Amino acid sequence: MTDRTQVAIIGGGPSGLLLSQILHLEGIDNILVEQRSRDYVLSRVRAGVLEMGLVDMLRRYEAGERMDVEGQVHQGIGMCFDGSQYRIDLAALTGGKTVMVYGQTEITRDLYDARDRMEGRMIHEAAHVALHDLETDTPSVTYEKDGQTHTIACDMVAGCDGFHGVCRTSIPAEKLTAFERVYPFAWLGILSETPNVSPEVTYAWHQRGFALCSMRNPMLTRNYVQCPMSDTIDDWPDDRFWDELKMRLPVDLANTIVTGPSIEKLLAPLRSFVVEPLRHGRLFLAGDAAHIVPPTGAKGLNLAASDIHYLSTALIAHFQQDDEKPLADYSNLALKRIWKAERFSWWMTHLLHIFPDDGPFGVKMQQTELDYLFSSPAAMTSLAENYVGLPY
Ligand code: APR
Ligand code: PHB
C-alpha cells in the first residue's frame, strides 16, 4: 500500500506531534509514524518546566487550553546550598518572564487530542520504519504493520524519533559529527502523591550530592537525588530516598517534608549530546533525535520546541512561498540555540552536582560560584535569562 503526503513525520513524542499540529493548521499535509502504541507514549513520565516560547506555540496552535487551566505559572525558582535557601526571581530579573509547570505527558496528551479533533493521520505500532532516497526529490518511508509493508511517498521527512530512533542513523556516519559528554552519576527520581516540598522548583547543592524538588500539581510531587551510575532502583527503597533528600536540603525545609509512597521511580543517566548538521538531503532532524541535554536546566522539551519552531517556519516557507532559504538555514539556526542550551545545562550540571573525581578543589569552586551567584544581580540575571529560555 502506498500513501502520499508532503511531510512524513517519524516519531510521536512532543517534537513530532507539535510539528504535525503546526503543519496541519498551516495547510501542509503530513503523516506521523510512531513505532510504539499511543498508550505507551502516554505512559512515559518526563520533565515539566515549560518556557514561554513553547507555551505560546501550544496556545497559537490550539493545544494550550488545558495547560492554561491546570498549569502553574512560576515566577521564580529556589536554590539551596550550605544550609540556606535562596530564590532566583525569574520575573524580576528578566523583565516579567516566567515559566509554566505542566507535565510533558500532559502536553503529549493534549497534542494527541488536538490531532484527533483535526483528524490528523497518525500511524502507531509501525515496525521496521526505514527511510529511502533521502538525497533525491522523491524520498519515501516504509514500515510494517499488521503483517503488511506500507510505503509513504513524501516531499520531506522530519526526524523526530528521539535519541534511539532510526532517522539519525539513516544518515551516513561520515556526514555527521557527534559531540558527547556522559556525566559520572545518575538521577534517581520519584513521583509521589504528597504535598510539594517547596512552592517553586528548587535545586540543591550538597556535599552528599545534588537534589531537586519539583512538582506536577500541588499534590503530585517529583523529587530527585544524584546517585552513583552503578546504582539500581532496588538500591533505593522509598525510605532511603526520603532520608537522603532530607539530608541534602536545609533543615528548615527538610522538616516540612511530608513523605509518602512512590507511585513511579526512575533512574536516569545524564548526557550531553549534539549531532551536526541537522539536515541530510530531504531529512531534517529535530528534538532528541539531534541532541540530548542533562535534565538540570529543564531544557530537553523546550529545545525540542525551538527546533520545531525553526523547522515548521522553514517548511511553511518551502510549501507556501517556494522559498528554500529557511530550509537551507535550518540546521545552522537551530544549532545556535541548541548549543546555548547545551552550555547552560552543562553549566547548571557542573555547578550543582558532586563530581567524584573533582575532589576538594572542585567543591571549593562550586561553593564560591554559588556564593558569587547569590551576591551578584548580574550572575543571577544570566541564570534567569537562560532558565526562562533564550529568544527564538
Ligand atoms: N520509528 C518510529 N518512531 C520511533 C522510532 C522509529 N524507528 N524510534 C523511536 N520512535 C519514537 C519513540 O517511540 C518516541 O515516541 O519517537 C518518539 C520520540 O519521542 P521523544 O523521545 O519524546 O523525543 P522528542 O519528541 O524529540 O521529545 C523531546 O522529550 O525525551 C524528552 O527530554 C526529552 O523533553 C525532551 C523531549
Ligand atoms: C521535573 O519536574 O521533572 C524537573 C524539573 C526541573 C528540572 C528537571 C526535571 O530541571
Side-chain angles (χ1 to χ4, degrees):
M1 245 194 71
T2 299
D3 253 315
R4 150 108 219 132
T5 190
Q6 288 173 297
V7 183
I9 300 174
I10 315 302
S15 301
L17 286 165
L18 186 58
L19 182 63
S20 175
Q21 176 73 356
I22 295 174
L23 293 181
H24 177 99
L25 287 169
E26 297 289 348
I28 297 166
D29 192 62
N30 66 85
I31 302 179
L32 184 151
V33 182
E34 162 63 50
Q35 71 174 3
R36 302 285 193 163
S37 69
R38 187 189 285 221
D39 284 349
Y40 179 90
V41 174
L42 286 171
S43 69
R44 290 187 298 219
V45 180
R46 297 231 170 107
V49 179
L50 317 187
E51 296 173 358
M52 285 302 147
L54 171 54
V55 168
D56 290 343
M57 277 164 90
L58 291 168
R59 286 180 183 148
R60 191 164 355 118
Y61 291 103
E62 302 178 27
E65 225 169 279
R66 194 162 67 98
M67 171 189 72
D68 277 326
V69 176
E70 295 177 17
Q72 306 167 37
V73 174
H74 282 203
Q75 314 262 340
I77 55 172
M79 289 189 91
C80 304
F81 97 108
D82 279 356
S84 300
Q85 270 191 75
Y86 300 84
R87 181 166 187 265
I88 305 281
D89 190 333
L90 299 173
L93 291 162
T94 61
K97 297 201 176 111
T98 55
V99 290
M100 172 84 83
V101 171
Y102 187 63
Q104 177 171 322
T105 316
E106 307 311 316
I107 293 181
T108 309
R109 189 182 301 282
D110 294 346
L111 283 165
Y112 271 129
D113 287 349
R115 297 311 300 120
D116 284 345
R117 275 200 310 277
M118 294 166 200
E119 296 178 8
R121 285 197 283 171
M122 294 184 281
I123 293 135
H124 280 87
E125 297 173 82
H128 306 298
V129 174
L131 317 185
H132 311 276
D133 303 325
L134 295 169
E135 290 180 271
T136 71
D137 292 348
T138 53
S140 64
V141 174
T142 54
Y143 63 93
E144 281 166 34
K145 189 169 161 105
D146 302 328
Q148 283 199 334
T149 301
H150 301 255
T151 302
I152 303 174
C154 56
D155 299 315
M156 302 289 169
V157 181
C160 302
D161 53 348
F163 186 63
H164 300 288
V166 70
C167 291
R168 191 178 67 250
T169 51
S170 301
I171 303 176
E174 69 276 11
K175 302 236 166 131
L176 285 183
T177 309
F179 302 85
E180 183 168 37
R181 168 141 314 169
V182 176
Y183 298 87
F185 38 74
W187 279 17
L188 193 282
I190 72 163
L191 193 66
S192 58
E193 287 169 322
T194 54
N196 303 153
V197 172
S198 168
E200 293 179 335
V201 176
T202 295
Y203 297 82
W205 180 93
H206 192 276
Q207 293 269 10
R208 296 182 66 88
F210 167 79
L212 167 60
C213 303
S214 183
M215 65 288 289
R216 292 291 174 269
N217 63 49
M219 269 307 284
L220 193 56
T221 290
R222 187 87 170 139
N223 296 322
Y224 302 87
V225 292
Q226 173 186 352
C227 68
M229 260 206 290
S230 52
D231 277 11
T232 65
I233 298 246
D234 294 339
D235 293 323
W236 287 91
D238 291 352
D239 286 349
R240 178 178 175 209
F241 178 87
W242 288 112
D243 287 346
E244 189 62 41
L245 180 68
K246 287 181 185 174
M247 280 190 268
R248 296 183 188 188
L249 295 174
V251 178
D252 293 356
L253 187 59
N255 283 341
T256 65
I257 291 183
V258 178
T259 64
S262 61
I263 56 170
E264 209 250 1
K265 196 177 278 176
L266 63 76
L267 198 67
L270 273 73
R271 181 197 301 270
S272 298
F273 176 85
V274 182
V275 79
E276 293 183 351
L278 304 182
R279 175 179 190 172
H280 173 64
R282 298 237 167 177
L283 168 66
F284 297 85
L285 300 178
D288 276 18
H291 44 75
I292 297 289
V293 284
T296 324
K299 290 290 166 235
L301 174 61
N302 293 301
L303 209 44
S306 59
D307 288 356
I308 296 305
H309 164 78
Y310 294 126
L311 182 55
S312 60
T313 306
L315 289 169
I316 293 164
H318 168 85
F319 287 109
Q320 292 182 354
Q321 284 110 39
D322 237 356
D323 179 0
E324 294 310 305
K325 189 161 184 316
L327 272 181
D329 291 346
Y330 165 69
S331 182
N332 283 343
L333 199 59
L335 279 165
K336 265 185 189 293
R337 192 172 188 279
I338 288 165
W339 276 114
K340 287 184 185 137
E342 290 282 345
R343 185 207 67 81
F344 177 64
S345 308
W346 162 88
W347 175 78
M348 281 269 280
T349 303
H350 273 266
L351 180 65
L352 294 169
H353 293 75
I354 296 298
F355 280 70
D357 293 336
D358 277 8
F361 183 82
V363 165
K364 277 285 179 200
M365 283 297 110
Q366 288 176 318
Q367 289 175 315
T368 306
E369 186 155 7
L370 285 159
D371 192 19
Y372 164 66
L373 176 67
F374 300 118
S375 68
S376 161
M380 280 193 284
T381 304
S382 170
L383 192 160
E385 74 173 351
N386 280 281
Y387 199 86
V388 299
L390 297 174
Y392 48 91

